[in-house]
Amino acid sequence: MGKTIAQKIFEEHLVDTPFPNTYVLKLDRVFCHEITTPIAINDLVERNKDRVFDCTKIKAVIDHVTPAKDSKTATQGKILRDWARRQNIKDFFDIGANGVCHAIFPEKGFVRPGYTVIMGDSHTCTHGAFGAFAAGVGTTDLEVGILKGVCSFREPKSIKFVLNGKLKAGVFAKDVILHLISTIGVNGATNCVVEFTGPVVDNFDMEERMTICNMAVEAGATSGICYPDEKTIDYLWDFIKDEYGTKEEALKAYSKWRSDDDAEYEKVYTLDLSDLQPVCTFGYKPDQVKTIKEMEGTPVNQIYIGSCTNGRISDLRIAAKVLKGHHLADGVRGIVSPATPKIYKMALEEGIIDIFMDAGFCVTNPTCGACLGMSNGVMAEGEVCASTTNRNFNGRMGKGGMVHLMSPASAAATAIKGTITNSELFK
C-alpha cells in the first residue's frame, strides 16, 4: 500500500511511539514569536531548563505587536530578545529587521521539502506549501520542542483536494481556499493533513500556495501541504544551490516528498474551479462564504491589506493594480502592511507604496497587529472591515467588529467603492 507525503515525513522523522497512534518526531525547525514563546521561556527558566536543543534550528521574530504598544507587549518582546541573546539564537529578527513570521521565515529559506516544523501559532501550516509538515502547537509542546527538538503527533490521516480547471480572471488563491473551507466546513479536516493538488495548484506560484496552506487550519486541519516541484526549487534555489549541483538534482532529491498514487485518504475531493467567482466571508466563521456579487453593496469602514495570508509582494501588486488612479471612498480608511522589510523595499522600488499613499492608505511597518485586534488597525464596536487576513471570528479585529475576508483585489475594489464589490479590472 502506498503512503501519503505526511506518512513519509513521519516515518523519516520518527523517534518513538510511546502510545498507540502517538508519534514522537524529530524536528527540523522550531519557530518562535513574542506572543506565545515567552510563556514557554519563563516556564523553562522556572524548571531550571533554560537551554535549547539546537540554536541553529530555532528561529525567532517579534512580529505580533511591533513596535510594542504598551509595557506588557514591551515585556514580551524583552523576554524573547533576552532569551535569543542568552541562547545564541543567530536567526532572531528584532524591530527593524522583523516581518510577519509566516512570510519572513520562508523568505529566508528556513523551510525545505520533507521538513518538520512547529510554532506556537496556528497558521504555521503556511509552511506546508514547501512540502513540509508544519503545525501550530500549544505551550507544552513548544517547550519540549525548544528543549529536546521533538514533538508528538497523532497518526497522520490525510484529506486530498484535487483542484481541476483554470481560474477565471479576478479569482485568486484566497478565493480558492475560502471556497474549499466553505465546502467542507470549519471541522471538515480536523486532525488531518490536507493535501492540495491538481492543475490549479500546479499553476500557483509559491506565494499562492502559501495562501491556501495558511488557511488549512480554518477547516480544522493540522497542516496543509503541497507537493514540491520546479517552482519550489526556483524559490529556494539561492538557499540550496550549494547542496545540489543543478536544479534538476534538487528536484530529483525532493521528489520523494510526494504521495504515492495508491496512498489511502480519509476523503478525496475532486473539484472543477473553472466557474469559481470571487468570494468573501459573512458572519463569524471562515466557512460562511458568499460570492462578492451576493455581498455587493455591504458598507465598510476599514480596508486592511496585509497579514501572513496576503501581505506578500504579489498581493500588493494586485491591490495596487486595482487602486492605481483611484482614491479611498469618503468615510473609509485603508491600511496596508507589507509582510516583511524585503517586501516593503520591493513595493517602494516598484512605486506600489506611492499608489497606496496616493489612494489615501496608511502604510505601516510589517506587523500582525491588526489581524488579531492588538494594534495598527483595531476596529471600534459596530465597525466593518474588508480584510485580506485569515479569521473573521467575533471580535477578532476589535470587540464588536465585523470582518469580511477576501482577496487583495476585492479589498482594493471595495476600498474605492466604499461597499463590497468586485474588481472591474479583472472581469
Side-chain angles (χ1 to χ4, degrees), residues 44-74:
L44 287 169
V45 170
E46 289 179 11
R47 296 171 183 271
N48 295 316
K49 296 182 183 297
D50 184 25
R51 54 187 182 273
V52 300
F53 80 102
D54 187 333
C55 65
T56 67
K57 294 182 178 180
I58 295 176
K59 318 294 179 180
V61 64
I62 294 177
D63 67 346
H64 273 56
V65 184
T66 171
K69 65 173 183 175
D70 52 28
S71 296
K72 181 178 179 180
T73 53

Side-chain angles (χ1 to χ4, degrees), residues 286-353:
D287 62 356
Q288 294 179 305
V289 175
K290 292 182 179 180
T291 64
I292 293 286
K293 187 173 181 60
E294 290 177 288
M295 295 290 288
E296 276 186 342
T298 304
V300 301
N301 305 101
Q302 177 173 293
I303 308 295
Y304 185 79
I305 297 173
S307 84
C308 60
T309 314
N310 286 121
R312 298 178 179 85
I313 190 63
S314 57
D315 301 308
L316 303 190
R317 286 170 179 157
I318 289 165
K321 185 176 180 180
V322 176
L323 283 169
K324 190 172 184 178
H326 297 280
H327 198 275
L328 286 165
D330 289 343
V332 175
R333 60 188 183 272
I335 301 167
V336 59
S337 176
T340 71
K342 180 180 178 181
I343 293 167
Y344 201 124
K345 284 184 178 181
M346 292 174 71
L348 278 170
E349 291 166 359
E350 295 178 23
I352 290 172
I353 298 298

Side-chain angles (χ1 to χ4, degrees), residues 207-247:
E207 297 194 350
E208 292 170 304
R209 293 177 191 179
M210 283 187 262
T211 293
I212 60 172
C213 287
N214 174 272
M215 291 190 65
V217 69
E218 310 309 337
T222 301
S223 185
I225 201 162
C226 300
Y227 301 157
D229 60 8
E230 292 89 347
K231 292 179 181 179
T232 317
I233 304 302
D234 288 340
Y235 187 99
L236 291 173
W237 186 243
D238 284 346
F239 307 104
I240 64 174
K241 60 187 177 183
D242 292 336
E243 301 173 37
Y244 302 97
T246 65
K247 290 185 178 181

Side-chain angles (χ1 to χ4, degrees), residues 96-119:
N98 57 342
V100 174
C101 54
H102 307 309
I104 198 167
F105 291 153
E107 184 181 275
K108 297 292 184 181
F110 294 153
V111 186
R112 311 286 169 81
Y115 269 17
T116 50
V117 181
I118 66 166
M119 186 176 194

